[in-house]
Amino acid sequence: ILLATIPNPQRGNIAASLQLNESAITRLKQLDNLEQRWLNELSADLPPSRIYHLLSKADLPSLLLASARHPKRLGPTIWCYLTHWADLPPLINGHQLKAMGYRPGPQFKTILETLFNAQLDRQITSLPEAKTLLSEQFPLQAKHQRRGS
């Protein structure tokens, strides 16, 4: 955290002289840009799914550094992400979709993202609700069903 308080041009050099690993040096060099992006894009009115997709690309040390450096503006959002959404298991996963008769293909990712976003945004909170949303937005068609279904 101390290195993160040093101005960016010197930060990388000091980290290298301290023999930090390459990922730590890169993280410290990119921290200002990452924080600025989050400060610009994260707002109180964003749905959880959008927050999730913004923060899920970052590694834990970057999230913690940004949270420590911006405890009022980023801290609560990052904390909420880490404690509620980062490790949230999906209500329906790819294996379950296959078992329901859906065939893997280009639409699979769209289906899974739609279901997970609805779960993050609390539009669905249970497996029956997820299945209802699935059948409404992505109904199985005869050509996509497995034999014997």
Side-chain angles (χ1 to χ4, degrees), residues 42-125:
L42 290 173
S43 65
D45 60 339
L46 276 182
S49 60
R50 183 72 181 119
I51 295 169
Y52 176 90
H53 291 293
L54 280 171
L55 298 179
S56 66
K57 297 173 182 88
D59 62 357
L60 181 60
S62 295
L63 291 166
L64 295 176
L65 278 172
S67 180
R69 286 173 32 117
H70 302 277
K72 291 183 180 176
R73 293 200 48 213
L74 294 177
T77 303
I78 290 171
W79 183 252
C80 191
Y81 165 77
L82 290 172
T83 58
H84 298 292
W85 305 320
D87 295 322
L88 182 68
L91 292 169
I92 294 179
N93 62 35
H95 297 294
Q96 291 166 307
L97 277 183
K98 284 191 245 179
M100 291 178 207
Y102 290 85
R103 289 188 178 193
Q107 194 178 25
F108 229 57
K109 181 179 179 186
T110 303
I111 293 170
L112 292 171
E113 284 181 357
T114 299
L115 290 168
F116 193 60
N117 288 342
Q119 180 181 346
L120 287 167
D121 296 338
R122 307 226 12 104
Q123 296 166 349
I124 57 173
T125 58

Side-chain angles (χ1 to χ4, degrees), residues 3-68:
L3 280 178
T5 63
I6 296 170
N8 198 17
Q10 296 94 15
R11 196 181 299 157
N13 294 335
I14 293 171
S17 68
L18 292 172
Q19 298 180 350
L20 296 181
N21 64 42
E22 281 302 313
S23 64
I25 294 170
T26 301
R27 180 181 309 110
L28 287 167
K29 286 180 179 178
Q30 296 174 349
L31 185 61
D32 290 341
N33 291 335
L34 186 60
E35 289 173 336
Q36 195 56 52
R37 179 175 171 231
W38 290 341
L39 288 166
N40 290 338
E41 294 184 31
L42 290 173
S43 65
D45 60 339
L46 276 182
S49 60
R50 183 72 181 119
I51 295 169
Y52 176 90
H53 291 293
L54 280 171
L55 298 179
S56 66
K57 297 173 182 88
D59 62 357
L60 181 60
S62 295
L63 291 166
L64 295 176
L65 278 172
S67 180

Side-chain angles (χ1 to χ4, degrees), residues 138-149:
F138 304 97
L140 273 175
Q141 298 170 359
K143 66 179 183 176
H144 295 295
Q145 291 180 346
R146 289 178 160 178
R147 290 180 205 202
S149 293

